[in-house]
Amino acid sequence: MKLQRMNRRALALGALAVSGALALTACGSDDTGGGKDGGKSASSTAGASSIKCDDAKGQLLSDGSSAQKNAIDAWVKNFSQACGVQINYKAGGSGAGVTAFTQGQIAWAGSDSALKPEEVAASKKVCSGGQGIDLPMVGGPIAVGYNLSGVDNLVLDAPTLAKIFDSKITKWNDAAIKKLNPGVKLPDLKIQAFHRSDESGTTDNFTKYLIAAAPDNWKYEGGKAWQAKGGQSAAQSSGVAQQVKQTNGAIGYFELSYVGDGVKAVSIDTGASAPVAPSSDSATKAIADAKVVGTGKDLSLQLNYATKAEGAYPITLVTYEIVCDKGTKADALPNVKSFLRYIASEDGQGMLTDLKYAPIPADIITKVRTTIEGLS
């Protein structure tokens, strides 16, 4: 027996030396909570120094915001390696995620828009003794991406963007665009504006910006469904980004993580001393101005889309993880709670900047962590 124990110890140490990235410790406790001694714990140098798996096991199905997909993918990789849980996040759009959640098909959804009152009411039917709540988890700028041969830097403002996406400005050498870009050679080329075809929190936030910053030029009421006439459409952020990438003269809106490889980002003239480019830092500056307007355990935020603060990028969204405050099914609760605990942790939030997202400001994410521990 002593020799067997020595061999097992040598094998374990060897595995740790080879991987250098993952340490797993199994505990015999039956505690299903988030205590220091409860369940399993794990660590990964790839963005997670201490993932507490607790009783997480099996599978977890989720759906929702495609805006946060790149962040979710990175988090899922770490969490799944550490805890052995298979997480399938479909990223079918915020509308699809909220619908699936309120119909009881999934235990957790992602949405770039907070739950509406009627959606909260619907959630009470699937959250036994509780209701759906919004937990802000991923911040980031909505980039206005473009593909225009020969133009590497482009500045636009809210009125001009409103006219472009409402088919009122149709050529790249329009006088309004020229005025914002002195010295830039703009081609006599048709603008091809792409918007989301699916119900999207990204659309909701983008149009909230247009409503707030260009009320005289954007007369639509907003929401997850695109309302303006004209333009072309594609599904999910990835679809819009792909269309812009392959079409000279195209413009669209999607998260900053989709910019690159042939797609450039517009800088926004907000009225500040200099145009503001989308970045994690400029988005965090905008989110820091947000107010918590949710009640109870709900932490939904109110953003200032018309900000003129120096260095603050105005077209910013926050993706919420939507979950029951009480009444999550017993077989899903350990997985949901452990995963959310990880992505709200310093390690989880610390990965966002490198992924071109913005971490949630400290005072807000602290409230999120407290709320997660109370989920039941």
Side-chain angles (χ1 to χ4, degrees):
M1 291 296 293
K2 183 176 181 181
L3 181 59
Q4 289 177 335
R5 286 196 299 270
M6 290 176 65
N7 288 338
R8 286 198 297 268
R9 178 176 175 82
L11 287 171
L13 290 173
L16 284 170
V18 171
S19 68
L22 186 64
L24 296 173
T25 304
C27 302
S29 170
D30 291 329
D31 181 8
T32 59
K36 293 181 180 179
D37 298 324
K40 297 171 284 183
S41 65
S43 64
S44 168
T45 57
S49 63
S50 59
I51 297 177
K52 293 182 174 65
C53 303
D54 297 322
D55 285 346
K57 60 183 178 181
Q59 299 180 339
L60 179 62
L61 176 64
S62 184
D63 196 359
S65 163
S66 65
Q68 68 171 354
K69 183 180 185 301
N70 293 334
I72 292 290
D73 285 349
W75 284 331
V76 164
K77 180 180 180 181
N78 284 343
F79 187 78
S80 296
Q81 286 179 342
C83 301
V85 176
Q86 181 182 346
I87 298 178
N88 180 5
Y89 183 75
K90 295 174 65 176
S94 297
V98 171
T99 297
F101 176 77
T102 57
Q103 291 180 350
Q105 298 171 9
I106 55 177
W108 145 66
S111 176
D112 307 320
S113 300
L115 291 170
K116 296 178 180 178
E118 61 269 26
E119 292 167 341
V120 173
S123 73
K124 293 179 180 180
K125 298 177 182 178
V126 296
C127 299
S128 179
Q131 66 178 50
I133 57 172
D134 303 285
L135 301 178
M137 198 69 72
V138 182
I142 299 174
V144 180
Y146 72 99
N147 177 0
L148 191 57
S149 180
V151 179
D152 294 326
N153 296 290
L154 185 69
V155 175
L156 296 173
D157 60 11
T160 306
L161 279 169
K163 293 174 185 176
I164 287 173
F165 281 94
D166 198 22
S167 302
K168 300 292 176 59
I169 291 179
T170 59
K171 289 291 190 71
W172 279 109
N173 62 348
D174 186 274
I177 302 178
K178 284 184 175 181
K179 185 176 180 180
L180 291 164
N181 296 273
V184 176
K185 188 175 181 180
L186 295 163
D188 181 12
L189 180 67
K190 180 182 178 180
I191 296 174
Q192 300 198 53
F194 286 89
H195 58 265
R196 289 280 289 272
S197 60
D198 53 318
E199 287 202 355
S200 160
T202 309
T203 293
D204 190 16
N205 284 273
F206 179 62
T207 55
K208 281 179 179 175
Y209 160 72
L210 296 177
I211 291 167
D216 293 337
N217 303 106
W218 194 260
K219 299 297 185 179
Y220 304 96
E221 64 182 15
K224 293 177 184 175
W226 184 258
Q227 296 170 338
K229 307 301 180 184
Q232 301 178 66
S233 65
Q236 283 85 52
S237 293
S238 57
V240 175
Q242 181 61 32
Q243 290 298 321
V244 173
K245 176 182 177 180
Q246 64 188 25
T247 308
N248 185 36
I251 189 169
Y253 58 91
F254 33 77
E255 292 63 46
L256 183 60
S257 57
Y258 290 98
V259 170
D261 190 22
V263 179
K264 303 177 180 67
V266 171
S267 293
I268 303 298
D269 183 344
T270 64
S273 63
V276 185
S279 71
S280 295
D281 181 61
S282 62
T284 298
K285 287 180 180 178
I287 296 170
D289 266 347
K291 298 178 181 179
V292 176
V293 294
T295 59
K297 294 183 179 180
D298 186 89
L299 296 174
S300 55
L301 304 176
Q302 183 179 67
L303 300 172
N304 180 11
Y305 297 96
T307 181
K308 295 183 180 180
E310 295 295 331
Y313 184 79
I315 320 176
T316 301
L317 63 72
V318 169
T319 300
Y320 300 96
E321 311 312 335
I322 295 172
V323 67
C324 297
D325 60 353
K326 296 178 182 179
T328 298
K329 293 179 181 178
D331 59 345
L333 181 61
N335 290 350
V336 171
K337 199 167 179 177
S338 295
F339 183 66
L340 294 184
R341 180 188 294 123
Y342 162 53
I343 68 179
S345 70
E346 289 186 10
D347 291 314
Q349 291 289 300
M351 297 173 64
L352 290 176
T353 299
D354 287 343
L355 295 169
K356 297 185 179 181
Y357 294 100
I360 301 300
D363 58 335
I364 299 174
I365 201 65
T366 297
K367 296 176 182 178
V368 171
R369 291 167 185 157
T370 300
T371 302
I372 290 170
E373 294 308 318
L375 297 179
S376 63

